[in-house]
Amino acid sequence: MKTNSEIIKLDKISKDYKLGKTVVTALKNISVTVRKGEFLAIVGPSGSGKSTTLNIIGCLEEPSSGTVTFDGKNLTGLSSNELADIRASKMGFIFQTFNLLPVLNIFENVEYPLHLRGMGKAERFERVTKVIKEVGLERFTKHKPAELSGGQRQRVAIARALVGSPDVILADEPTANLDMQTGEEILAQMKELNKTLGVTFIFSTHDQSIMDKAQRIIELRDGELRDGGLIK
Amino acid sequence: MYLKLAFKNIFRNKVRSAITLGAIAFGCVSLIISGGFMEDTFTQMRESYIRSFLGHMQVYKQDFYEKGSATPYDYMISDHELISAKIKGIDGVSHVTPRLDFSGLLSIGDTTISFIGQGIDPEGEAKISTSVSTEDGQALSAEDSFDAVLGKGLAKAVGVEPGSSIIVVTNTISGAMNGLDINVKGIFSTSSKGFDDRALRMPLKTAHRLLRTSDVQSLVVLLDKTEDTDRVKAALQKRFKADGDDLEVIAWYEMADFYNKTVELYNRQFTVLKLIIGIIVVLSIFNTMNMSVMERVGEVGTIMALGTRRSGVVRLFMMEGLILGILGGLIGIVSGYILAKLISFIGIPMPPPPGATMSWTATIGVVPSVFAFVFVLAIATSLFSSIYPAYKASKLEIAEALRHNV
Ligand SMILES: Nc1ncnc2c1ncn2[C@@H]1O[C@H](COP(=O)(O)OP(=O)(O)O)[C@@H](O)[C@H]1O
Ligand SMILES: [Mg+2]
């Protein structure tokens, strides 16, 4: 695995939101490069632009200006189908609110992204079983999300993000809805997966104590990178 | 995958889905019952007209039906026994009987009234006029000569009873006056009040004597099955053409003007009903799908973030509409079938239709085409009403939609 090659490059990204006559600037001139296999934390207080940054990296939102390069490919101007296919095949997502589909059981939730890739049943089964085991939830495959604790649900979300062997997993405040101890366990799990499988993780948090776990941290303040973005 | 997800989504809000399915099923049942009721009414009316007097078809001299009313005696069939034999040779024909129509005056005491006369073969006619019922006295029989039966309304108008003696006066074929003393043998009624108010029937041989002819005007044909009408008509026309017979064949539906107008009216009403029910189904599914999209904005954001294309979101919601339509349609046709059978078993007592004298018992016809139509309608309207909600869901901004997950 080439751990040192660039996977994501944000070049002079700005993002404005128009609210009636006023313009809210969420991001100002952000440039960041992420390499394969990194475990990168984006920190900053609430409203500093962490979610916006992750949304732009995950091509869920378009920047107002600047370019995003993903795996050597400029994402500017791609169609919604092309972006959807990139997300389905190259990215994994973990959300603050877990976002599992309530009608599907744990197995089916984890399986969902593989359906999007048109993968055959046997391979889906093999992969889903493997990642569910990796996050330690093999006893719960038939359960519905509502029957699980927050920490367990977030593990399902990790499994779902991981199942398609993505290039990068984006996690927007994955621990914010969990208690301290569970949050640390989740982060430890992510770190472990980063180490053993080499998956690139980019996650945001406003919890200073999480910082210690990160290999590299960039800090946002009012939509700008602090100290050129390199805290650690 | 969308199928499975759509199925599960439908069952997540059981009460709402049940109400929606109920609305679709209710729509289907109402169409099945009203359509089946109409179909049964049409069939009974049709058979009543056919078996009262029209027959399935009538054979006339060429052009009689168009032009014969002014000079009916210019269009007579002279070799009617030969023609009858030919007609009977066609597959599907049950009976053939001759008729000779004329008009005249009948008197009893000081009362004189005009009537429409019909010379008939009592034996042959008895087989065709199965819905002609004898109200009083007796029906005509083969041995009768100076006897007649009168329609209920006509008998009442002149105040005659079975056994009364009347004088019948008419023009002969050549235009001279002729009259006969006739014995009233019975009083009859059909499903047509208009006919019963004016009709007098006598044996053909008596009519021949009265009009001084041996010809007839029409040959009434009864078939085994009404469905064979067009086939037999075509076969007859072919045969007559081949033999050089100068005859025309008029089917019952070309003569049953009232029936046709009634069917048309009912069909129009049925179309309105279909429209109303279609709208109910559309609104109810639209409402359900719309609510379900609004409740699931966050979820739509999630699946799009995971890489579901916008077309996939459309497919998911359309699939939910489709499943609702199929399920509602199935429930509807099954309960419609059961209800139709139940109502038919009990029967609906019906008053006489306009212009008729006999009441009847309506049932609900189980018409495969109505069932198929209703099922297709349920599915089509369900799909149709899911288009907008599905489209709306697919147009959500992903980042914005994700913020709904709290
Ligand atoms: N859709 C939006 N419309 C208007 N303003 C927005 C929108 N999304 C984010 N913002 C603003 O952009 C800034 C950054 O928001 P966000 O990226 O969510 O910060 P964080 O995730 O760090 O809390 C905030 O001031 C927020 O109010
Ligand atoms: Mg945020």
Side-chain angles (χ1 to χ4, degrees):
Chain A
M1 187 179 288
K2 304 185 291 171
T3 44
N4 267 344
S5 59
E6 282 177 18
I7 178 79
I8 292 156
K9 193 168 174 212
L10 301 186
D11 189 24
K12 300 197 191 73
I13 294 292
S14 295
K15 178 73 183 177
D16 298 327
Y17 291 104
K18 287 194 181 61
L19 286 174
K21 279 177 195 152
T22 57
V23 174
V24 180
T25 300
L27 292 178
K28 269 177 250 169
N29 211 24
I30 305 277
S31 296
V32 181
T33 300
V34 184
R35 291 175 191 287
K36 272 189 184 159
E38 275 199 273
F39 194 69
L40 172 69
I42 302 175
V43 299
S46 187
S48 58
K50 305 182 294 293
S51 295
T52 309
T53 307
L54 281 167
N55 285 347
I56 288 173
I57 295 172
C59 37
L60 304 175
E61 273 182 283
E62 268 187 275
S64 304
S65 65
T67 54
V68 185
T69 311
F70 181 81
D71 206 10
K73 188 173 184 181
N74 187 346
L75 298 185
T76 316
L78 292 188
S79 72
S80 106
N81 279 350
E82 287 169 316
L83 294 176
D85 293 349
I86 289 175
R87 287 196 298 275
S89 58
K90 308 232 160 121
M91 296 175 177
F93 289 86
I94 299 170
F95 307 92
Q96 178 181 342
T97 46
F98 323 135
N99 296 14
L100 303 176
L101 301 179
V103 293
L104 299 183
N105 66 30
I106 299 318
F107 186 94
E108 292 162 339
N109 262 288
V110 175
E111 194 184 19
Y112 186 90
L114 301 183
H115 276 294
L116 294 175
R117 299 183 181 191
M119 195 179 277
K121 190 171 178 174
E123 196 184 350
R124 291 201 310 264
F125 182 83
E126 193 185 316
R127 282 193 178 223
V128 172
T129 311
K130 184 160 163 272
V131 287
I132 287 183
K133 204 167 173 187
E134 239 150 46
V135 298
L137 290 174
E138 56 271 46
R139 277 177 35 232
F140 298 94
T141 49
K142 292 277 179 278
H143 287 61
K144 290 283 168 67
E147 298 161 342
L148 267 55
S149 72
Q152 288 171 324
R153 283 187 227 180
Q154 199 60 303
R155 280 181 211 280
V156 177
I158 292 173
R160 179 176 67 180
L162 202 61
V163 73
S165 315
D167 292 341
V168 59
I169 291 177
L170 304 170
D172 191 5
E173 308 216 27
T175 59
N177 273 22
L178 301 172
D179 61 57
M180 190 75 152
Q181 200 200 328
T182 317
E184 277 175 11
E185 283 167 19
I186 288 293
L187 211 72
Q189 178 129 57
M190 284 164 52
K191 179 91 206 199
E192 175 70 18
L193 292 166
N194 168 256
K195 237 182 12 212
T196 54
L197 305 174
V199 201
T200 313
F201 272 91
I202 305 174
F203 65 98
S204 70
T205 179
H206 60 259
D207 184 349
Q208 294 288 326
S209 71
I210 300 282
M211 284 194 202
D212 316 337
K213 302 275 193 312
Q215 164 205 39
R216 180 182 159 206
I217 297 171
I218 54 175
E219 187 174 359
L220 286 169
R221 275 289 151 87
D222 297 328
E224 290 180 282
L225 280 184
R226 205 172 160 210
D227 301 336
L230 270 183
I231 304 285
K232 178 173 160 185
Chain B
M1 169 192 53
Y2 291 124
L3 182 67
K4 182 157 122 190
L5 191 52
F7 240 106
K8 295 190 170 184
N9 279 325
I10 285 172
F11 288 105
R12 83 202 277 180
N13 195 329
K14 293 196 178 66
V15 174
R16 189 170 66 206
S17 293
I19 291 172
T20 313
L21 290 177
I24 302 171
F26 173 79
C28 293
V29 169
S30 4
L31 285 182
I32 286 169
I33 298 299
S34 53
F37 173 71
M38 269 175 39
E39 189 65 28
D40 178 74
T41 307
F42 292 166
T43 310
Q44 296 215 29
M45 245 173 98
R46 180 187 81 189
E47 294 303 314
S48 161
Y49 282 115
I50 288 170
R51 287 166 203 284
S52 288
F53 39 88
L54 287 181
H56 285 101
M57 60 195 71
Q58 298 187 9
V59 174
Y60 303 103
K61 204 77 181 169
Q62 189 65 42
D63 295 338
F64 170 84
Y65 197 70
E66 283 266 296
K67 304 176 193 160
S69 54
T71 54
Y73 301 142
D74 291 350
Y75 299 90
M76 301 295 270
I77 304 170
S78 40
D79 46 355
H80 63 89
E81 264 149 25
L82 195 79
I83 308 281
S84 290
K86 259 186 216 175
I87 297 171
K88 276 181 197 147
I90 305 277
D91 187 39
V93 172
S94 163
H95 300 290
V96 183
T97 190
R99 276 182 198 163
L100 174 54
D101 293 335
F102 56 96
S103 59
L105 296 170
L106 79 82
S107 316
I108 178 165
D110 293 337
T111 320
T112 298
I113 192 165
S114 67
F115 66 88
I116 307 254
Q118 216 167 42
I120 56 168
D121 166 21
E123 272 188 332
E125 195 72 29
K127 288 170 194 155
I128 281 190
S129 303
T130 47
S131 51
V132 174
S133 58
T134 303
E135 295 269 308
D136 199 2
Q138 285 175 301
L140 290 173
S141 66
E143 307 83 52
D144 295 331
S145 48
F146 295 102
D147 296 288
V149 290
L150 271 61
K152 197 171 151 187
L154 180 65
K156 209 170 182 181
V158 289
V160 299
E161 294 176 343
S164 303
S165 193
I166 55 173
I167 298 166
V168 173
V169 180
T170 185
N171 288 323
T172 67
I173 292 208
S174 49
M177 289 283 276
N178 194 13
L180 284 175
D181 277 323
I182 296 286
N183 169 53
V184 175
K185 197 175 181 203
I187 314 281
F188 69 89
S189 71
T190 69
S191 62
S192 165
K193 187 170 180 302
F195 184 72
D196 296 349
D197 283 349
R198 307 184 62 194
L200 178 151
R201 292 179 132 187
M202 60 174 63
L204 185 61
K205 58 187 175 194
T206 314
H208 277 159
R209 187 188 291 249
L210 193 60
L211 298 172
R212 301 223 171 94
T213 179
S214 60
D215 298 345
V216 302
Q217 224 155 27
S218 57
L219 293 166
V220 184
V221 182
L222 193 74
L223 306 182
D224 295 322
K225 288 197 296 272
T226 305
E227 292 70 46
D228 287 340
T229 304
D230 286 331
R231 181 180 61 77
V232 173
K233 181 181 168 178
L236 275 178
Q237 283 171 325
K238 202 171 149 201
R239 180 74 203 271
F240 293 152
K241 199 167 179 193
D243 293 356
D245 293 320
D246 193 21
L247 298 168
E248 66 184 3
V249 186
I250 309 291
W252 63 270
Y253 50 80
E254 297 169 82
M255 301 179 279
D257 203 36
F258 182 76
Y259 170 82
N260 290 335
K261 287 200 171 115
T262 309
V263 169
E264 197 190 330
L265 178 73
Y266 271 56
N267 274 338
R268 235 174 256 184
Q269 289 176 354
F270 194 47
T271 307
V272 173
L273 193 69
K274 280 184 210 164
L275 208 68
I276 292 172
I277 285 169
I279 291 170
I280 292 176
V281 173
V282 166
L283 287 180
S284 113
I285 301 197
F286 182 82
N287 179 50
T288 301
M289 296 306 296
N290 225 13
M291 274 163 75
S292 134
V293 168
M294 277 178 346
E295 284 170 5
R296 276 152 58 195
V297 167
E299 238 174 275
V300 173
T302 302
I303 63 169
M304 290 209 284
L306 295 181
T308 306
R309 290 178 172 201
R310 295 192 187 278
S311 57
V313 174
V314 170
R315 234 186 297 169
L316 175 64
F317 282 96
M318 295 287 283
M319 194 80 85
E320 290 181 26
L322 180 69
I323 293 171
L324 283 173
I326 292 176
L327 286 182
L330 282 178
I331 296 171
I333 57 179
V334 170
S335 27
Y337 181 81
I338 294 170
L339 197 63
K341 286 289 174 200
L342 196 70
I343 294 174
S344 301
F345 177 71
I346 299 166
I348 313 164
M350 295 294 293
T357 52
M358 278 190 304
S359 50
W360 88 92
T361 303
T363 61
I364 306 296
V366 172
V367 194
S369 67
V370 171
F371 278 74
F373 171 82
V374 160
F375 191 55
V376 170
L377 185 77
I379 292 172
T381 48
S382 307
L383 271 182
F384 173 76
S385 38
S386 310
I387 294 174
Y388 178 74
Y391 173 79
K392 201 170 79 173
S394 79
K395 286 295 164 205
L396 289 168
E397 290 294 333
I398 305 175
E400 182 62 40
L402 280 172
R403 265 190 277 275
H404 283 73
N405 289 306
V406 269

